[in-house]
Amino acid sequence: MNHALKLLCLLTLGLSLTACGTDNASTGNTTSSAPLQKIVLKLAHGWPKGYPLFGESVEDYARLVGEMSDGRIEIRVDSTNKHKSAFGIFDFVKSGQYDIGQSASYYYGGKDPDTLFFSSMPFSMTAIEQYAWFYHGGGLELANEVYAKHNIEVMLGGNTGMQMGGWFRNEINSVDDLKGLKMRIPGFAGKVVAGVGVVPTNIPTGELYQALERGTLDALEWVSPGLDLRMGFHKIAPYYYTGWHEPGTELLYFFNTDSMAKLPGWAQSILRNAARLTAYNMTTAVFAANADNWDTIATQYPNVQVKKFPPEVLQALKKSNDDLIAAELARSPMARKIIESRQEYLRRARAWTEIGEQAYLETMRN
Ligand code: CA
């Protein structure tokens, strides 16, 4: 690279990686005094600017990458305020419009139904069980096998832990009470509730309260107290049900494969490992927010009615889930491979959870 172009790259942060190149090898200059060029990457996430926990963790990621690279990598973060497309992250990264994205995999079942399995699945693994599957049970490799078809590499991005079953205007006492109910509930769980008569939909974060207020929605699930309370849903729909459908929802970082391939190994390593660390940080931050806000609900929101779905409703949901899983097993070899991997891992992980953590929690009650 000639000196004029190198200087231009240093001064003009927005230049593409191709124009700037990624190392100094071509100059033959290996002395430490050689100027290090800056790598500038564009990242889009699917939340409003500054959105607590989900959006904040992306800002943390960008800051962490900057620190770990000693300022040599700059990530420019765009929220939905800028790009206006809460569910466009998959396409942004696939096309290369953005180098990196952060979103939930199950928003993209319409693009590729095999992406539905990499957030959370109803009646499936908890956060820690699913982390073990991703990192030690082949889950991350399977996710990358699916996403490679779309020119995307993925890394885990943070987990919500157990999600609540949602906010309802009225109490749910039977399966009949669910029929015709307009509910925001994305992913595989949306298909499951459709099987018992609910009309599921997905709506961007920033529009949820208004949709509930205007009656576009009768009910919604969002996350859990840490994120739900500030949204104000309890003012309209005071029945807050315990969870079944998202026992540990993971967000993902998406990396455009071509953008990654242009980077030197150290930069790729920082991008992947900073995501991994950010995932851990977000997971513990969401747990902390849940504990804080659950305490607030219990002590300051007497109108919130915390409920469990009746056994009849849960049985109907399990039946619908089983029917859908059976159909997915037959749909494609890839779907079968992922589902069987999840099921086998759940069987082993849950046996340990039951004799480990669950037995301990039962002991504490006695
Ligand atoms: Ca949710």
Side-chain angles (χ1 to χ4, degrees):
M1 188 184 299
N2 67 46
H3 291 292
L5 178 57
K6 190 179 286 181
L7 185 63
L8 193 63
C9 286
L10 286 166
L11 295 173
T12 313
L13 301 180
L15 273 187
S16 75
L17 289 165
T18 310
C20 289
T22 53
D23 61 43
N24 293 321
S26 62
T27 67
N29 185 349
T30 56
T31 64
S32 58
S33 62
L36 288 165
Q37 60 191 58
K38 190 156 187 165
I39 296 166
V40 179
L41 300 169
K42 290 177 66 185
L43 184 155
H45 66 71
W47 326 105
K49 187 171 174 55
Y51 191 74
L53 301 165
F54 293 176
E56 284 172 346
S57 77
V58 182
E59 300 288 346
D60 287 343
Y61 175 67
R63 195 160 43 242
L64 195 56
V65 167
E67 282 176 20
M68 290 168 82
S69 68
D70 199 20
R72 282 177 284 169
I73 306 175
E74 180 186 343
I75 295 181
R76 294 182 172 176
V77 177
D78 284 350
S79 67
T80 54
N81 300 60
K82 176 81 182 286
H83 60 67
K84 311 287 183 196
S85 184
F87 306 124
I89 310 303
F90 178 100
D91 281 339
F92 285 152
V93 179
K94 180 175 182 170
S95 68
Q97 188 175 343
Y98 282 87
D99 305 296
I100 310 173
Q102 184 257 32
S103 189
S105 189
Y106 65 7
Y107 290 156
Y108 305 104
K111 304 285 180 187
D112 182 339
D114 292 339
T115 59
L116 285 175
F117 306 115
F118 301 112
S119 298
S120 183
M121 291 290 283
F123 305 112
S124 185
M125 291 180 267
T126 63
I128 188 66
E129 290 167 344
Q130 188 171 264
Y131 269 124
W133 175 68
F134 271 125
Y135 287 139
H136 306 287
L140 188 56
E141 286 84 356
L142 285 170
N144 272 308
E145 195 175 332
V146 168
Y147 276 92
K149 291 178 224 161
H150 305 285
N151 204 36
I152 293 171
E153 173 187 330
V154 296
M155 180 48 83
L156 307 189
N159 201 288
T160 66
M162 190 71 214
Q163 294 207 6
M164 291 292 278
W167 299 89
F168 293 75
R169 284 176 193 273
N170 300 304
E171 203 169 343
I172 304 300
N173 294 310
S174 68
V175 175
D176 279 349
D177 290 340
L178 291 172
K179 295 203 185 309
L181 204 76
K182 291 171 291 184
M183 181 171 183
R184 181 271 179 193
I185 175 168
F188 202 79
K191 295 174 186 281
V192 173
V193 296
V196 299
V198 170
V199 182
T201 184
N202 194 13
I203 291 177
T205 317
E207 298 165 29
L208 287 171
Y209 182 85
Q210 204 173 47
L212 193 62
E213 189 179 39
R214 289 182 176 173
T216 310
L217 293 175
D218 300 312
L220 60 79
E221 70 77 52
W222 177 225
V223 186
S224 46
L227 280 150
D228 288 3
L229 197 54
R230 69 193 89 212
M231 302 289 277
F233 304 138
H234 56 275
K235 295 176 202 162
I236 306 163
Y239 294 94
Y240 199 20
Y241 277 83
T242 58
W244 60 275
H245 67 304
E246 295 189 55
T249 301
E250 189 68 30
L251 302 181
L252 294 182
Y253 280 91
F254 301 156
F255 301 97
N256 177 276
T257 307
D258 301 326
S259 295
M260 268 298 214
K262 287 174 192 164
L263 296 174
W266 63 264
Q268 294 184 25
S269 177
I270 286 174
L271 292 173
R272 293 187 187 107
N273 285 297
R276 200 168 160 139
L277 181 54
T278 301
Y280 176 79
N281 292 341
M282 193 198 94
T283 303
T284 55
V286 177
F287 189 95
N290 281 335
D292 289 348
N293 283 9
W294 172 244
D295 185 66
T296 302
I297 288 174
T299 56
Q300 296 175 35
Y301 291 74
N303 293 335
V304 173
Q305 305 283 309
V306 178
K307 299 280 179 184
K308 290 182 179 172
F309 289 111
E312 173 209 324
V313 169
L314 288 169
Q315 280 159 18
L317 291 167
K318 276 184 185 154
K319 167 83 172 55
S320 176
N321 186 63
D322 290 347
D323 291 347
L324 282 160
I325 291 290
E328 285 294 297
L329 285 167
R331 179 177 59 78
S332 80
M334 192 67 215
R336 172 174 285 275
K337 192 171 160 184
I338 302 165
I339 290 168
E340 288 182 346
S341 174
R342 288 189 64 102
Q343 287 177 336
E344 168 58 16
Y345 206 83
L346 172 61
R347 187 185 63 74
R348 277 185 287 147
R350 187 58 51 84
W352 164 239
T353 299
E354 286 176 358
I355 201 62
E357 203 158 293
Q358 187 171 332
Y360 167 72
L361 292 173
E362 285 166 7
T363 301
M364 291 290 289
R365 281 183 182 276
N366 296 329

